[in-house]
Amino acid sequence: MALSKKPTTGMKDILPEEMQIRDYVISVIKDTYGKFGFTSIETPCVENIANLSSKQGGDNEKLIFKILKRGEKLNVAAATTEEEVVDSGLRYDLTVPLVRYYSNNAASLPSPFKALQMGNVWRADRPQRGRYRQFMQCDIDILGEPSNLAEIELILATTTTLGRLGFKNFQIRINERRILKAMATYSGFPEESYDSVFITLDKMDKIGLEGVEAELLENGFDKACVDKYLELFKGLESAEDGVAYLADTLEGFLEPEIAQSLREIMDSVRATKASDFEIVFDATLVRGMSYYTGTIFEIAMPEFGGSCGGGGRYDKMVGKFTGNDVPACGFSIGFERIIMLLMEKGFQVPTRPKQVAYLIEKGVSGERLCEVIAQAQEARKDGTQVLVARMNKNKKFQKEQLNKEGYEEFVEFYKEELKR
């Protein structure tokens, strides 16, 4: 079998120019979230297959990179089911590992617990622009806070971070899973069909109201239910305040405090935001994960033409591990998409240290080489970034390559000083 110099499909090598931007963005994220009281944690990239297949990860559970048992435990010849050969898998998100982590360590953690987790995840997905099979995720979560203070803090921390990275005029779209369910109940859909209805609703931005109507009817839903459901969305289009409109229309199906809490979140974020963005109620926002129980939100970036992150409340997930529910809410930035947009904009990392390259001709004596390295060590003390490298035959090309990495000043050392 021939060796391949290309990375595996859906994964990529990261060149120094991009790595500088990634490191800078990570530093901004950690600094900003740190100011909001979030604490960095880390979980293993491999999880027990039962945790990953617990029907809480939505469609992502179909995309797991599964890991075979090792050594004597692996007996492929005798196996009749997948369970006999697979015992673990690569994590497809950071939420499932976080909940396991919290369930295992809750006694040692503060309450509420504000976690920041950054790390690679893996999904056997179809690669496309801004979508890879291995990619970095960046999550903040608050566990143990039942009130909407959690949502407000998560949205403010995330939007402050995006503002610091130069993003503006984006939207935070927000909705409530309990509003989605109340709309479906009011319209007469049976409870067991809610997920099917929501999957169709989630396509509203692509297929429009008429497309949603056609698909619901095609799926066999009663026309009276579909008509009543679509009337709600037509009413929303003309309503000045969508939340108030639904609170009135869904009276008896929606508890008043749910709409009130959603309005509080939006009003608080608008009054205290530190970045240039809009927060808008969107009754068509669904979010794919089945573990969401309350508020859900998403970042809509005009430059990308799609979502660049999202999250929501998942109050029932810890209870799956411990038997006791713990209120929980999280927000994930689409790290790879943010990096892609910055790269496409020609983003330059600000306040980089001065970068100097010392180029040494081959044949310089060992004594002289030590002097050059000592000189570099001295220059580094004031924060200067000094690269010490052998001088290539094609010095012009070498300098051009170093220029791309940010080196603008060059000091050359020759065997014979006259060459300088």
Side-chain angles (χ1 to χ4, degrees):
M1 188 182 291
L3 298 179
S4 172
K5 63 182 181 181
K6 289 186 176 180
T8 303
T9 303
M11 301 181 185
K12 67 171 190 172
D13 295 326
I14 300 172
L15 299 180
E17 181 187 3
E18 179 179 342
M19 203 66 219
Q20 282 187 343
I21 294 174
R22 293 172 79 92
D23 286 344
Y24 171 73
V25 171
I26 288 169
S27 71
V28 170
I29 286 170
K30 287 189 172 181
D31 179 65
T32 311
Y33 287 156
K35 287 173 180 170
F36 279 80
F38 289 91
T39 306
S40 287
I41 67 161
E42 191 165 312
T43 58
C45 62
V46 175
E47 281 287 335
N48 186 297
I49 195 66
N51 294 351
L52 296 175
S53 308
S54 58
K55 295 189 167 52
Q56 301 196 76
D59 285 344
N60 291 326
E61 293 194 7
K62 300 173 187 172
L63 307 173
I64 299 170
F65 279 98
K66 295 174 180 176
I67 299 173
L68 295 175
K69 293 178 179 179
R70 278 76 51 207
E72 292 177 1
K73 290 182 179 178
L74 179 62
N75 188 346
V76 177
T80 56
T81 64
E82 185 181 275
E83 287 74 18
E84 292 176 71
V85 293
V86 170
D87 63 354
S88 52
L90 296 175
R91 62 190 181 193
Y92 53 72
D93 76 356
L94 297 179
T95 307
V96 172
L98 168 70
V99 172
R100 183 204 50 74
Y101 171 98
Y102 181 83
S103 303
N104 189 39
N105 299 290
S108 308
L109 299 172
S111 184
F113 178 51
K114 301 177 79 170
L116 162 62
Q117 191 177 186
M118 301 185 72
N120 279 315
V121 301
W122 291 264
R123 295 178 191 171
D125 210 345
R126 185 170 61 86
Q128 52 188 287
R129 180 175 178 259
R131 189 188 292 269
Y132 304 98
R133 289 180 173 172
Q134 174 182 314
F135 55 96
M136 172 85 81
Q137 273 199 341
C138 169
D139 287 16
I140 47 171
D141 294 81
I142 303 177
L143 294 100
E145 175 54 71
S147 80
N148 59 17
L149 175 61
E151 283 90 337
I152 294 164
E153 282 276 279
L154 289 166
I155 293 169
L156 287 175
T158 301
T159 53
T160 301
T161 301
L162 291 173
R164 282 189 64 187
L165 293 170
F167 290 100
K168 54 180 73 171
N169 301 322
F170 56 93
Q171 279 188 341
I172 299 295
R173 300 162 63 213
I174 189 167
N175 197 8
E176 239 281 2
R177 292 287 286 200
R178 289 171 295 180
I179 288 178
L180 281 170
K181 288 179 180 176
M183 291 172 78
T185 308
Y186 164 86
S187 303
F189 291 110
E191 190 171 348
E192 64 273 13
S193 69
Y194 287 175
D195 283 348
S196 173
V197 173
F198 297 158
I199 287 167
T200 300
L201 176 63
D202 201 29
K203 302 174 187 174
M204 179 80 85
D205 59 338
K206 296 182 180 71
I207 63 176
L209 207 59
E210 288 180 3
V212 169
E213 179 182 17
E215 188 168 308
L216 288 173
L217 292 172
E218 193 179 302
N219 289 344
F221 290 112
D222 183 70
K223 189 172 189 310
C225 294
V226 174
D227 289 346
K228 198 171 183 183
Y229 193 51
L230 295 180
E231 279 303 315
L232 287 172
F233 293 100
K234 289 171 184 170
L236 277 168
E237 286 175 5
S238 55
E240 281 187 32
D241 183 336
V243 178
Y245 164 77
L246 287 179
D248 291 341
T249 310
L250 301 175
E251 190 176 351
F253 295 89
L254 181 69
E255 294 170 14
E257 57 266 27
I258 294 171
Q260 183 186 339
S261 176
L262 191 60
R263 191 179 288 109
E264 276 179 13
I265 294 168
M266 296 171 73
D267 289 346
S268 299
V269 168
R270 285 186 187 119
T272 57
K273 65 181 185 177
S275 306
D276 182 7
F277 70 94
E278 266 189 296
I279 184 165
V280 294
F281 171 63
D282 183 351
T284 69
L285 179 65
V286 173
R287 302 283 303 156
M289 297 302 194
S290 56
Y291 52 63
Y292 290 126
T293 58
T295 323
I296 47 176
F297 28 79
E298 203 165 81
I299 306 164
M301 285 272 187
E303 302 103 305
F304 182 67
S307 167
C308 280
R313 183 167 281 279
Y314 51 99
D315 288 348
K316 301 289 182 185
M317 203 167 165
V318 174
K320 304 272 187 189
F321 284 87
T322 64
N324 297 308
D325 289 336
V326 173
C329 198
F331 206 151
S332 177
I333 282 185
F335 184 86
E336 300 293 351
R337 292 178 181 182
I338 296 297
I339 297 297
M340 181 189 73
L341 292 173
L342 291 175
M343 295 279 291
E344 288 176 356
K345 282 199 252 182
F347 180 79
Q348 293 291 314
V349 174
T351 61
R352 283 194 301 194
K354 181 182 176 185
Q355 290 178 254
V356 181
Y358 286 7
L359 303 180
I360 307 169
E361 186 184 28
K362 287 177 185 173
V364 165
S365 69
E367 186 182 346
R368 180 65 175 139
L369 183 64
C370 282
E371 289 174 7
V372 173
I373 292 171
Q375 188 177 326
Q377 289 284 68
E378 194 61 35
R380 289 171 182 141
K381 287 180 182 176
D382 66 6
T384 302
Q385 182 177 319
V386 182
L387 172 76
V388 179
R390 289 290 186 185
M391 191 182 293
N392 291 351
K393 282 184 180 177
N394 188 344
K395 190 170 65 176
K396 181 172 180 289
F397 179 72
Q398 184 181 19
K399 286 183 176 181
E400 285 171 0
Q401 294 300 104
L402 288 169
N403 268 145
K404 288 178 184 175
E405 292 183 32
Y407 291 93
E408 295 177 357
E409 187 178 323
F410 300 92
V411 183
E412 297 166 12
F413 301 89
Y414 292 93
K415 284 186 292 186
E416 301 167 26
E417 290 298 306
L418 289 175
K419 283 190 180 178
R420 298 186 66 182

